[in-house]
Amino acid sequence: MSTHFEQDEPAQLESGLGLRIPRANGLDVHNGSVAPNAQTELEPHSSNSELVRDAIIGLADGLTVPFALTAGLSSVGSTHLVILGGLAELFAGSISMGLGAYLAALTDTKHYEVEFARETRQIANSADLEDEEMYGLFAEYGLGREVVEPLARQLRGDPEAWVKFMMDFELKLERPKTSRGWISALVMGISYFVGGLIPMIPYFAVHSVNKALFISIGVTCVVLLIFGYCKAIATGTTKRAALYGAVETLGIGALAAGVSYGIVRGVNKGLGGTTG
Amino acid sequence: MSTHFEQDEPAQLESGLGLRIPRANGLDVHNGSVAPNAQTELEPHSSNSELVRDAIIGLADGLTVPFALTAGLSSVGSTHLVILGGLAELFAGSISMGLGAYLAALTDTKHYEVEFARETRQIANSADLEDEEMYGLFAEYGLGREVVEPLARQLRGDPEAWVKFMMDFELKLERPKTSRGWISALVMGISYFVGGLIPMIPYFAVHSVNKALFISIGVTCVVLLIFGYCKAIATGTTKRAALYGAVETLGIGALAAGVSYGIVRGVNKGLGGTTG
């Protein structure tokens, strides 16, 4: 990927470290996928709401980390401790995730604008250099100047289309949907909160911490399966695929919970006692 | 974005929910950016290691959530509780992050392979339809059949280049680097762990939980500033930009910590007591 900045601009691009926001790449794939379609080989376009995707990311994350954390803390034997630790994680996690998503969206927008302005300026001021870049792009596919020239000539007469073309094909940058940055962040944060609250409910409801742990494991399994099924409906993928994803999520959660349980139990014994 | 699947394939694509992996988009921008370069308008290409990016993502995430969680738990007044909660979070978080990154990388690779195979098949079996798709791509930039035709004709004679062209320009999919999926995951998980351990050290070292909290806040601020500075060196962005990013991360951490502190304190009082 090539990027380019001018002296006066990069200073504002450093914002938004993209904290704790699951990489969208992996999920875009799923969400963008459509129901198996054997009738035609023409590609159908994704029509699913991106908010569904945001909610799925938040929920999946919430179902994993708070579940593992509370399971780990349950080894100490105090429901009180599990609830306090779980709540601290829920608030810390959902705020980090939501705000991080929002700042990353702002950064993406800013980045797009800066690159757009730069590309526009390059095309206006140094069209010859830009032309060379375009020939270079096509040369990678064995396409020589002679076949690219008619296309290049026409783009040269239409700077607006040329800028759009270079943004898409050279920089491969999509215009971010600015209006929904904060909605996306809100949905992600709330979904994380809801997802994380589910494995905690048994600790609120049941006095015995061991019983609560087992109910929490059961509830998390069931919710992940339901969640996987709904995801299949919402995104149009096969149920088998969704089930596979849910089982994988569960696997991560189980490993994280197991290790957390073992470590907390060992350290608590080492520190000499139980809490609460 | 258009995606397309065949009946027999999507089942395997649903793996890897991309759990808790910060979205790379935002950071790619920063990491891919280069030192301000006024001498030339030609775009320099990113040469920075992607592992640096993974380490930065992990560290930034680790410096935020575990910091906020331990700060929140400190409101109860027990160092023991902070250490147990913090360790549970560290292990749950770093395993989720590392494994999630690994599974997401596997999914990306699988997705690329499936799309590549499909595109190859489409070009072999229904070149006319594929031709139409290509004309459609260019039409969005006002480029008519007559200027695209020489190019289309040549690609038709070189199926390998044509597949590559469609992968890049139609599907906008980059070939994932399969070999480094697990290294990337390992680096991210370890960085998260290291980042998260830093705000916890004061609780190990200092007996008074309030003192430890203030030291933790101080240490996190200092580390974020150093981290921002090193990032500027590593990625070649301006120091001002890196500082801005560090302050933003700190802002998220501070808000998350503040809310977590308030909630845990309130709930602990409501549950009637202190732990430990």
Side-chain angles (χ1 to χ4, degrees), chain A residues 165-184:
Chain A
F165 185 87
M166 294 307 268
M167 290 303 287
D168 290 349
F169 287 175
E170 187 198 7
L171 301 177
K172 299 191 171 87
L173 284 179
E174 273 181 68
R175 186 184 289 276
K177 297 175 191 94
T178 45
S179 61
R180 56 170 282 286
W182 69 270
I183 301 174
S184 171

Side-chain angles (χ1 to χ4, degrees), chain A residues 38-50:
Chain A
Q39 299 99 292
T40 168
E41 279 274 46
L42 280 173
E43 292 90 329
H45 286 259
S46 166
S47 62
N48 297 302
S49 164
E50 289 190 30

Side-chain angles (χ1 to χ4, degrees), chain B:
Chain B
M1 192 180 61
S2 77
T3 51
H4 51 184
F5 291 111
E6 281 193 344
Q7 196 142 26
D8 54 333
E9 289 161 347
Q12 291 170 64
L13 288 175
E14 204 48 43
S15 62
L17 275 164
L19 298 171
R20 210 183 193 198
I21 311 154
R23 182 166 56 179
N25 298 8
L27 257 160
D28 269 337
V29 170
H30 311 133
N31 196 45
S33 68
V34 291
N37 186 346
Q39 298 99 294
T40 168
E41 278 275 45
L42 280 174
E43 291 92 327
H45 287 258
S46 164
S47 62
N48 295 302
S49 164
E50 289 190 27
L51 293 180
V52 170
R53 186 191 65 102
D54 293 333
I56 288 171
I57 290 173
L59 267 173
D61 226 10
L63 281 166
T64 315
V65 181
F67 163 66
L69 178 117
T70 48
L73 286 178
S74 76
S75 70
V76 174
S78 155
T79 312
H80 191 155
L81 172 69
V82 173
I83 289 175
L84 293 180
L87 286 177
E89 158 67 30
L90 270 190
F91 284 93
S94 52
I95 290 173
S96 299
M97 192 169 197
L99 264 185
Y102 181 64
L103 292 176
L106 286 189
T107 306
D108 283 354
T109 304
K110 182 75 198 157
H111 177 60
Y112 185 88
E113 284 167 3
V114 168
E115 294 289 343
F116 189 88
R118 180 171 169 121
E119 204 65 40
T120 305
R121 217 166 30 245
Q122 284 184 323
I123 281 173
N125 301 338
S126 40
D128 287 340
L129 276 175
E130 205 62 20
D131 238 17
E132 288 308 313
E133 278 178 17
M134 201 163 57
Y135 284 123
L137 276 181
F138 285 106
E140 285 186 39
Y141 308 92
L143 298 163
R145 302 184 82 89
E146 66 290 352
V147 295
V148 180
E149 222 198 342
L151 185 149
R153 207 181 312 122
Q154 192 179 327
L155 282 179
R156 198 148 179 169
D158 185 354
E160 216 170 289
W162 197 6
V163 170
K164 189 164 172 265
F165 186 86
M166 294 307 268
M167 290 303 288
D168 291 349
F169 286 177
E170 186 198 9
L171 300 177
K172 298 189 171 94
L173 284 178
E174 271 180 70
R175 187 185 288 275
K177 295 174 193 98
T178 47
S179 62
R180 53 170 286 284
W182 70 269
I183 301 174
S184 170
L186 202 68
V187 168
M188 231 183 238
I190 290 174
S191 308
Y192 183 90
F193 195 89
V194 171
L197 201 58
I198 292 168
M200 276 186 65
I201 293 172
Y203 298 101
F204 288 112
V206 180
H207 191 71
S208 155
V209 72
N210 279 331
K211 255 189 213 159
L213 170 65
F214 286 116
I215 299 174
S216 178
I217 292 171
V219 166
T220 305
C221 289
V222 170
V223 170
L224 272 173
L225 293 180
I226 295 174
F227 161 78
Y229 183 79
C230 292
K231 189 156 70 102
I233 306 287
T235 63
T237 51
T238 63
K239 280 161 203 167
R240 195 183 122 207
L243 187 69
Y244 192 86
V247 169
E248 232 178 38
T249 311
L250 197 61
I252 296 179
L255 186 67
V259 173
S260 185
Y261 190 95
I263 297 285
V264 170
R265 195 186 174 93
V267 169
N268 185 48
K269 276 192 181 152
L271 287 173
T274 57
T275 337

Side-chain angles (χ1 to χ4, degrees), chain A residues 119-137:
Chain A
E119 204 64 42
T120 305
R121 212 165 35 244
Q122 284 184 322
I123 280 172
N125 302 338
S126 40
D128 287 341
L129 274 176
E130 204 63 18
D131 238 15
E132 288 309 314
E133 277 178 19
M134 199 161 60
Y135 284 122
L137 275 183

